[in-house]
Amino acid sequence: MKRVEVKLGLPVVAPLLDVIKRTVDDLNGHLAVPQSLQDLDEELGAAWKGELLDGQNKDCRRFLALFDSEFFVSGMVVFDDDNAESVLRACAAIRLRLRQRDLEGLPDDVLEGAGVDVAKLDEAGQKSYMCYVFLATLQELIIQHLDAAILEG
Amino acid sequence: MIASSARTDVAPAQRTETELALAGLWRVVVLNDPVNLMSYVVLVFRKVFGFGEVTARRHMLEVHEQGRSVVWSGLREKAEAYVFTLQQWHLTAILEPDETR
């Protein structure tokens, strides 16, 4: 099994975890992307949404489990075949929620082009944007090193 | 995966109308969002549809530049399954009737 060990800077990442945990709490009961399927009857629509929410919650729990007590000693997180998909999806969900909740004032093209002037954001906005970038970095690392495992899994 | 058998019973006339509406071919369409990474979208397309890198990248660029891409077309039940899986990966995916065939 391929493993990717990443040593993170504790002084940088630890303050972001509060924002990430709050965002995960915020996702509880809400889909990161509201479902938009027409022609589903009420019962099927509810089952559809429920199953998506279950998956989203499991992925987020899996992601938060990376930052256990050991992380606060070593600063290390480990990605492998077993958690890569869940972590990727959780990062996507949290980034989408951060965008909706904390970064909604930023135009799409500025956000997509990474042209955000961080100094112009207030302190909370800066923290949210740092989380947004941090989660994208984790996604890039996983895609770069574990894409074969994800495609075969 | 959610099975279509979960649908509630309906009166015969209503069922016929629904069946007619759901028959035929349906398109799975992915819409652009400004959040998900291009590399992530390419990976999801490869994973879900088994596309090669070139095809997956072409669809991703279509989503990015034109706002949408038709990634699959076929029977309703399978199209629903694909939309569900794409939504599990937090892509914005919709179904629409394929009136081109």
Side-chain angles (χ1 to χ4, degrees), chain B residues 2-3 8 12 14 21 27-28 34-35 51 60 62 64 66 68 73 76 78 80-81 84 86-87 91 96 101:
Chain B
I2 295 169
T8 51
Q14 191 185 343
R27 291 166 158 180
V28 176
V35 175
F51 292 158
M60 178 278 293
E62 209 169 81
H64 182 64
Q66 297 172 32
R68 54 184 272 136
S73 175
R76 170 87 186 195
K78 195 162 183 190
E80 277 184 9
F84 182 84
L86 291 167
Q87 290 181 351
L91 298 191
E96 61 181 33
R101 293 199 259 181

Side-chain angles (χ1 to χ4, degrees), chain B residues 16-98:
Chain B
T16 305
E17 193 177 316
T18 306
E19 282 168 359
L20 279 173
L22 298 180
L25 298 177
W26 290 78
R27 291 166 158 180
V28 176
V29 182
V30 175
L31 306 180
N32 190 37
D33 73 66
V35 175
N36 282 312
L37 301 172
M38 291 181 174
S39 54
Y40 175 83
V41 176
V42 169
L43 183 74
V44 173
F45 285 170
R46 293 184 69 190
K47 169 91 180 163
V48 174
F49 298 103
F51 292 158
E53 175 78 26
V54 173
T55 306
R57 183 159 287 276
R58 180 167 52 77
H59 281 291
M60 178 278 293
L61 286 173
E62 209 169 81
V63 172
H64 182 64
E65 289 164 4
Q66 297 172 32
R68 54 184 272 136
S69 179
V70 177
V71 289
W72 192 83
S73 175
L75 295 177
R76 170 87 186 195
E77 195 172 59
K78 195 162 183 190
E80 277 184 9
Y82 277 132
V83 168
F84 182 84
T85 307
L86 291 167
Q87 290 181 351
Q88 282 182 310
W89 284 91
H90 309 295
L91 298 191
T92 306
I94 59 168
L95 273 182
E96 61 181 33
D98 185 349

Side-chain angles (χ1 to χ4, degrees), chain A residues 42-111:
Chain A
E42 202 174 322
E43 193 180 347
L44 182 57
W48 184 289
K49 184 179 176 187
E51 210 168 319
L52 286 173
L53 276 173
D54 281 350
Q56 182 177 279
N57 291 340
K58 280 179 194 158
D59 288 340
C60 286
R61 280 202 300 273
R62 200 84 193 271
F63 173 73
L64 290 179
L66 292 172
F67 305 99
D68 56 6
S69 53
E70 175 59 31
F71 166 76
F72 286 96
V73 175
S74 67
M76 195 83 82
V77 289
V78 179
F79 305 120
D80 55 28
D81 301 2
D82 200 37
N83 69 7
E85 284 190 31
S86 285
V87 173
L88 262 186
R89 283 193 297 260
C91 288
I94 298 166
R95 276 166 48 84
L96 283 156
R97 194 61 172 178
L98 282 168
R99 200 283 187 264
Q100 290 162 1
R101 192 192 60 196
D102 300 343
L103 304 171
E104 62 184 359
L106 297 173
D108 287 353
D109 57 336
V110 171
L111 202 61

